[in-house]
């Protein structure tokens, strides 16, 4: 899937459905988007990885989940 993602997406854009397998087990289906669809929206990345700010390392004993939720704020 990963090696041929662009090809699969062109097929979906043309109206095809793509079934995604994980070790021969169907786990997802890519289908053409319809305006009334709901679900996870994934946007293309902007910029370069080199432009990302790297956070300071967590101190020992830090609750990583609590820190992540605080950072995300209302973006959940």
């Amino acid at each position: 899937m990963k090696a041929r993602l662009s090809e699969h997406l062109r097929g979906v854009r043309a109206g095809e459905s793509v079934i995604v397998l994980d070790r021969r087990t169907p786990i997802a289906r890519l289908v053409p988007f319809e305006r009334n669809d709901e679900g996870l929206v994934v946007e293309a990345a902007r910029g370069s990885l080199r432009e990302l700010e790297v956070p300071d390392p967590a101190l020992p004993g830090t609750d990583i989940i609590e820190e992540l939720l605080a950072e995300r704020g209302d973006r959940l």
Side-chain angles (χ1 to χ4, degrees):
M1 177 74 184
K2 183 169 63 171
R4 297 174 51 201
L5 181 59
S6 294
E7 179 182 336
H8 295 309
L9 292 178
R10 279 192 296 276
V12 171
R13 187 172 293 199
E16 297 175 12
S17 176
V18 175
I19 298 173
V20 180
L21 305 177
D22 181 16
R23 295 177 183 85
R24 298 184 183 163
T25 301
I27 59 166
R29 181 188 320 261
L30 296 177
V31 297
F33 179 79
E34 294 183 17
R35 287 287 162 210
N36 61 353
D37 285 349
E38 292 184 21
L40 176 65
V41 176
V42 180
E43 293 185 34
R46 296 184 184 111
S48 164
L49 288 178
R50 291 185 175 96
E51 297 171 3
L52 291 177
E53 291 183 34
V54 178
D56 294 330
L59 298 173
T62 302
D63 183 341
I64 300 298
I65 301 299
E66 185 177 307
E67 293 292 321
L68 177 63
L69 292 174
E71 180 183 310
R72 288 184 175 177
D74 62 354
R75 296 182 292 156
L76 297 174

